[in-house]
Amino acid sequence: MSTVRSSIIKSIFLLLLLVTPALCAEQLTIASNSRSKAVIAVPDDAKACVKIAANDLQSYIKKISGALLPIEAQSKLKYAPKIAYIVLATDTKNQSGQDSFSIRTGTVKGCSAVYLTGNNDVSTMYAAYRFLEVLGVRFFHPEEEYIPSAKTLKVGNLNITETAAYKLRGIQHHTLHHIPATKFLMNDPTDVNLKRAYNYVDWLAKNRQNYLYWWWIEPIKMRGRVDYVNKIVKYAHKRGVKVGIVVGMPFDQQQSYNLMRGKGCYFKKDVWKGYLYKGVDEVAALGVDSMCIFYGDNEWGSFRDPDGCSMAGISPVDATVERIEAVRSYMREKYPNIELVLWIHPTANIYGDKKCPNFFLLPKYCSPDIAAAVHTVQFYDLVSPAPTYSNKDFHFLYQFALEQAEARPIWFWPETAFACGFDNDVPMYFPCYITARWRDAELMSNTAVAHITFSSSIEWMYWLNDYAVARFGWNPDEYSVDRVVSDFTDVLGKSAGPVAKEVLLDLAKSDERYLMDLVAKKNCNLMNLLNESVMYRVLDTLPGKADKFLNGWKTANLVPLQEFTACYKSAFDKLKAVAPKVSPAAKPLFDEFIDTIEMTYLRLEHQSDVYGQMIDLGLAENSGIAMEPDMRRLVNIQNRAKKIIAERESHYRYPTGGAEGNYYDFMRPFTVWETFAGRLAICKPYSGIRKHIRLTPNRISITRPSDTRKDVVVHVPGDFPVDKPLCLYLGVEDTDTASEGRLEINGKSIALPASGDSNAICVKIDLPANLLKPGDNTFTFHLENASNNGTKGYYVIYGCIVAAAYR
């Protein structure tokens, strides 16, 4: 068909669209008793994204109803009575620059019709997926969607119009961490992973996102990856999705790719420019649409030349700006279609120079065609307290955005990540991520041109965060928190849905009250207390303190933490009560939800218990009361949590083990939990009296082959009461059978009981008087043949010797 004829047909069809009534009198029937009652009509010159959307309409409607709707070119339509028409069309008269679409019912030649009309081809595609949402489909996860079932499929009068608030919208995967996207976007270029990458691009398109970003890492060699990424980029462009890459200059952290990979000193411009240009060439070869530069040495440092090189009297700000401008000039000349973006990290105390005291705000001294990406971290928003990265809040980032919006494109780059926000070995899920992201999306919608979300997981309900933020990035006025939460909870059924919604919204309020408001009102930072690096320091400061200090700390910190824990316990109990009432089709989603809430509750409970016992031990000591920690209670919490993690891992959408590797191995171990619990068993003497001897500061690993032995030398001080009975506490994990592990102390053999696979127990062993000697004593841990001949080993996760008077 000629281009002229195609344009005429398209114009006639659009005219029909304009003159038809906005609403039809009756419901429009798409399928009846699994039989097709509609036709999908596509433009003769439909672009790839529209064709894919039409095929998806056909596929999803068949999955819902069993009916296979035919797809026909609009020029070949033969209108028939009692047949409805789903019409995809593009109205190019709308040149607002923002993506926009409408969905409305009407008639064409006496037949019922629903018009899916965009102001460009990509928006027409968006209209198709929005229509599927009207039919009940939910694009929650790239590898798991919710599709309802109905043999008869009808829609009533529709008159929907939506317009994007942000021109650019998307997700940045923090592939510096071991997450699924690290593998399927670059680490492992297999056909299976390429399909996963395509599925993720599809998810973006279905959720009206048009940008995919990820961080390039140094260990990945360009050779062998360029063709693979080119395929992803090509497919993304076909779906109306752009692709961007984050690089360092000279970000030296977490294996980031570094444009400055050489040792070129500042004053050797021909050298450092050569490194930069080579790096730009390598990134450009991937076929990407934009490149974002992290321009500090790391999250906590400004730019410095390599060791041994002189900055030649120039400030870090001027040196960095000069290098950014060199990159810009080279890109404008050689790669004019690649946009340059600068990552503004929120660290507050990085000094630049007198003209720019905060190093990370230096983009204001760069050329105005360079975009500035304002990055916020964790669940904090731009207006509430944000006690992180040396900040009280992120107000300065918002002010920077307002000021610079007049000069350059502003990209807003918030976070929905759990693995990067608070680096612990198991996740916590806080629904306040959703409410905070909505507030920021609303606040920045008139300032930023782009809304790119920093993500690191799409398991443990974090896919709900990304799903929600995708809608907020599209239009926060159109999609409220209540509406997005309802998208999820409504599929759970009439009984369970309202309870699940109440739980999510109530927890979001509790999160804000205890994790944000308390910081401003009482200087109580509960999230800090749950951060492993801070918790170590706090636990070491409590022993030996007076009652006044301990009681004051308890009131100011422990009581709020216990109240916060109770909120999650209550939420879990509510979900457990309605679990039998969840609709069968949504049960996998609900199971993940309840596991996630229980997992968060258990972690809060565990840490609260550790703090609480440490306080009680101190108060008891001050009163002259002998008291020992209750390790069994903590072990029971840990074992329950391990079962939940094992169950959840078995349902991950991406593989966790086998030939494809383990994405989440860094979150699996409970070393942090065990160490916190062990601090109680090996806590320091409160008044100088030696009651405890720490067995070892480290986790002991005893693994194959059989008959392996590991010696641990324990020094017993001369004033320790070895002439009296003693008690040995051991945290033992992974002794599959009672015959697998054995401990030998100065010739005495002690069998270690079975803990069970992947479980831990607290072993209490009575030691006779005079078994230990003052000075060095050898504790030998043996790995022996298990009865099932399948032993792999076991661990000792903490240990202490306690004087009999205090056991």
Side-chain angles (χ1 to χ4, degrees):
M1 182 184 295
S2 69
T3 304
V4 173
R5 184 184 175 196
S6 175
S7 299
I8 292 173
I9 291 174
K10 186 174 182 180
S11 298
I12 293 172
F13 205 84
L14 286 172
L15 181 62
L16 286 171
L17 185 153
L18 294 172
V19 299
T20 51
L23 301 175
C24 54
E26 300 177 352
Q27 284 192 321
L28 183 149
T29 301
I30 297 172
S32 178
N33 199 24
S34 299
R35 294 183 178 181
S36 171
K37 294 295 181 179
V39 171
I40 300 171
V42 298
D44 293 64
D45 58 351
K47 296 294 190 294
C49 61
V50 177
K51 290 180 179 178
I52 294 173
N55 289 332
D56 280 349
L57 276 172
Q58 182 188 61
S59 174
Y60 280 101
I61 289 172
K62 187 176 189 303
K63 290 176 182 178
I64 296 170
S65 65
L68 182 65
L69 275 59
I71 300 174
E72 295 185 14
Q74 292 169 359
S75 63
K76 298 180 180 179
L77 285 178
K78 296 179 180 178
Y79 298 100
K82 297 184 180 180
I83 294 293
Y85 294 85
I86 302 172
V87 182
L88 286 81
T90 301
D91 180 8
T92 56
K93 294 193 296 297
N94 183 342
Q95 298 295 323
S96 66
Q98 300 291 90
D99 291 322
S100 180
F101 64 80
S102 65
I103 301 173
R104 61 193 187 92
T105 46
T107 59
V108 55
K109 294 191 174 181
C111 301
S112 297
V114 56
Y115 298 100
L116 312 178
T117 310
N119 65 335
N120 55 56
D121 295 307
V122 173
S123 292
T124 302
M125 174 187 71
Y126 293 157
Y129 294 118
R130 179 68 184 88
F131 179 62
L132 286 171
E133 291 174 359
V134 171
L135 300 181
V137 178
R138 295 291 178 267
F139 306 109
F140 288 138
H141 190 286
E143 301 291 333
E144 184 177 353
E145 301 167 340
Y146 176 79
I147 303 173
S149 177
K151 291 184 178 181
T152 296
L153 200 56
K154 297 181 178 183
V155 295
N157 293 327
L158 298 174
N159 190 8
I160 299 170
T161 299
E162 293 188 14
T163 300
Y166 292 86
K167 184 177 181 180
L168 305 174
R169 312 161 299 275
I171 302 289
Q172 176 245 317
H173 285 278
H174 199 57
T175 45
L176 296 186
H177 281 227
H178 237 2
I179 61 175
T182 305
K183 196 150 196 173
F184 68 68
L185 290 176
M186 58 181 172
N187 258 10
D188 194 3
T190 63
D191 290 342
V192 171
N193 279 321
L194 186 63
K195 179 63 167 62
R196 292 186 180 119
Y198 288 174
N199 288 348
Y200 193 83
V201 170
D202 289 339
W203 180 87
L204 290 169
K206 292 169 184 176
N207 286 286
R208 302 185 278 292
Q209 304 295 282
N210 58 14
Y211 237 113
L212 169 60
Y213 244 101
W214 72 90
W215 204 304
W216 201 252
I217 61 176
E218 190 69 47
I220 296 297
K221 303 301 180 185
M222 288 292 179
R223 185 178 303 169
R225 298 301 191 278
V226 173
D227 290 345
Y228 182 77
V229 175
N230 285 164
K231 292 177 182 177
I232 296 174
V233 173
K234 183 177 179 180
Y235 183 75
H237 288 172
K238 194 189 290 188
R239 297 291 265 144
V241 176
K242 293 183 176 182
V243 177
I245 291 291
V246 184
V247 297
M249 191 198 76
F251 189 67
D252 187 19
Q253 184 177 331
Q254 299 171 1
Q255 304 184 95
S256 168
Y257 179 88
N258 187 356
L259 291 180
M260 286 296 300
R261 286 186 289 172
K263 292 289 185 181
C265 297
Y266 172 76
F267 56 86
K268 297 179 180 178
K269 291 189 179 182
D270 58 331
V271 176
W272 61 255
K273 283 186 177 180
Y275 287 125
L276 288 177
Y277 297 165
K278 180 182 178 181
V280 171
D281 288 341
E282 288 185 344
V283 173
L286 299 172
V288 297
D289 302 282
S290 65
M291 181 176 72
C292 181
I293 295 177
F294 192 107
Y295 46 83
D297 274 354
N298 51 59
E299 295 169 271
W300 299 95
S302 62
F303 173 81
R304 292 290 186 272
D305 258 346
D307 293 341
C309 298
S310 171
M311 290 291 285
I314 192 168
S315 77
V317 173
D318 288 340
T320 304
V321 169
E322 184 169 12
R323 295 189 179 188
I324 290 170
E325 292 296 334
V327 170
R328 172 195 171 275
S329 297
Y330 185 70
M331 290 177 63
R332 292 294 175 264
E333 178 182 348
K334 195 170 181 181
Y335 308 106
N337 294 325
I338 300 180
E339 187 164 9
L340 181 58
V341 185
L342 301 178
W343 181 301
I344 301 176
H345 200 267
T347 311
N349 62 351
I350 306 304
Y351 182 75
D353 57 23
K354 290 183 179 179
K355 71 177 180 181
C356 186
N358 187 329
F359 174 79
F360 284 115
L361 297 186
L362 64 77
K364 59 187 175 183
Y365 298 108
C366 298
S367 296
D369 59 343
I370 302 176
V374 175
H375 174 54
T376 59
V377 295
Q378 299 148 10
F379 47 66
Y380 303 113
D381 59 38
L382 287 164
V383 297
S384 304
T388 186
Y389 283 99
S390 302
N391 291 287
K392 291 183 178 180
D393 53 53
F394 291 147
H395 295 176
F396 76 102
L397 291 174
Y398 181 51
Q399 290 302 317
F400 174 88
L402 292 177
E403 294 166 3
Q404 287 297 300
E406 301 296 324
R408 70 186 69 254
I410 295 295
W411 292 32
F412 183 51
W413 210 294
E415 184 173 302
T416 60
F418 76 71
C420 303
F422 304 98
D423 294 305
N424 292 278
D425 58 353
V426 288
M428 290 186 290
Y429 180 72
F430 294 131
C432 67
Y433 267 111
I434 296 176
T435 52
R437 294 292 73 82
W438 179 85
R439 284 194 297 271
D440 280 347
E442 179 77 7
L443 183 66
M444 293 293 288
S445 60
N446 294 322
T447 302
V449 299
H451 190 291
I452 309 295
T453 304
F454 176 115
S455 176
S456 69
S457 178
I458 34 184
E459 303 288 356
W460 290 98
M461 292 302 295
Y462 273 76
W463 52 262
L464 182 58
N465 292 356
D466 285 0
Y467 173 85
V469 174
R471 272 146 183 71
F472 302 156
W474 168 257
N475 193 319
D477 290 333
E478 182 76 30
Y479 291 90
S480 64
V481 170
D482 187 275
R483 179 175 177 181
V484 171
V485 169
S486 295
D487 277 354
F488 165 59
T489 58
D490 285 354
V491 307
L492 302 178
K494 293 182 179 179
S495 297
V499 174
K501 181 177 180 180
E502 178 187 357
V503 162
L504 274 169
L505 296 179
D506 284 351
L507 285 179
K509 292 177 182 177
S510 297
D511 293 346
E512 294 182 2
R513 181 164 64 253
Y514 286 101
L515 300 179
M516 299 181 193
D517 295 348
L518 276 181
V519 177
K521 294 177 180 178
K522 297 185 178 181
N523 197 31
C524 172
N525 188 349
L526 292 188
M527 198 62 240
N528 224 18
L529 295 181
L530 295 167
N531 185 308
E532 63 179 71
S533 60
V534 176
M535 195 168 183
Y536 287 130
R537 296 196 296 271
V538 173
L539 289 175
D540 281 342
T541 61
L542 292 176
K545 292 295 192 298
D547 284 6
K548 182 178 180 181
F549 177 90
L550 294 173
N551 285 320
W553 195 95
K554 181 177 182 178
T555 300
N557 299 284
L558 180 58
V559 170
L561 183 57
Q562 291 170 334
E563 292 172 355
F564 187 46
T565 302
C567 293
Y568 274 82
K569 175 62 165 62
S570 174
F572 169 68
D573 289 341
K574 290 178 181 178
L575 294 177
K576 190 175 180 180
V578 298
K581 302 177 182 179
V582 174
S583 62
K587 189 176 184 302
L589 295 172
F590 180 84
D591 288 347
E592 181 179 7
F593 182 36
I594 193 170
D595 282 351
T596 299
I597 298 304
E598 186 180 9
M599 189 71 223
T600 304
Y601 154 62
L602 289 173
R603 177 167 166 185
L604 293 170
E605 177 75 10
H606 187 275
Q607 313 308 60
S608 297
D609 200 296
V610 171
Y611 281 124
Q613 289 201 54
M614 189 68 85
I615 293 288
D616 291 342
L617 285 169
L619 294 173
E621 170 65 22
N622 292 341
S623 300
I625 300 172
M627 181 179 180
E628 66 179 66
D630 186 348
M631 304 301 294
R632 288 175 175 78
R633 187 166 67 213
L634 295 170
V635 168
N636 287 339
I637 296 174
Q638 290 170 196
N639 287 341
R640 172 59 187 155
K642 287 179 181 179
K643 289 180 180 178
I644 295 173
I645 284 191
E647 171 65 19
R648 192 64 6 236
E649 282 186 348
S650 70
H651 291 90
Y652 278 173
R653 288 84 171 181
Y654 299 101
T656 59
E660 295 201 70
N662 191 332
Y663 295 122
Y664 292 92
D665 55 353
F666 73 101
M667 287 179 291
R668 272 177 143 192
F670 276 76
T671 307
V672 173
W673 287 33
E674 294 157 355
T675 302
F676 290 156
R679 288 296 173 100
L680 295 174
I682 59 177
C683 59
K684 297 176 182 178
Y686 290 93
S687 59
I689 301 174
R690 291 191 177 275
K691 301 187 299 293
H692 300 76
I693 296 175
R694 187 173 184 175
L695 185 65
T696 173
N698 303 313
R699 180 185 182 103
I700 305 169
S701 175
I702 304 95
T703 57
R704 280 180 173 177
S706 297
D707 302 321
T708 298
R709 50 186 287 161
K710 184 159 292 189
D711 291 339
V712 177
V713 177
V714 179
H715 182 78
V716 177
D719 60 349
F720 200 77
V722 295
D723 58 335
K724 294 181 173 57
L726 303 175
C727 179
L728 171 65
Y729 282 100
L730 289 179
V732 181
E733 179 182 356
D734 249 357
T735 48
D736 300 325
T737 66
S739 60
E740 185 170 4
R742 180 171 62 87
L743 168 63
E744 185 178 332
I745 305 175
N746 293 341
K748 180 178 176 59
S749 182
I750 301 167
L752 299 179
S755 65
D757 185 39
S758 299
N759 283 334
I761 59 173
C762 179
V763 180
K764 183 178 180 182
I765 302 170
D766 291 325
L767 302 180
N770 298 313
L771 175 64
L772 298 184
K773 310 296 181 184
D776 290 342
N777 294 256
T778 300
F779 285 50
T780 302
F781 293 93
H782 295 263
L783 173 62
E784 301 185 331
N785 288 324
S787 58
N788 62 3
N789 202 30
T791 180
K792 294 181 179 180
Y794 65 95
Y795 305 93
V796 178
I797 52 184
Y798 56 79
C800 70
I801 304 165
V802 183
Y806 297 96
R807 33 177 201 166

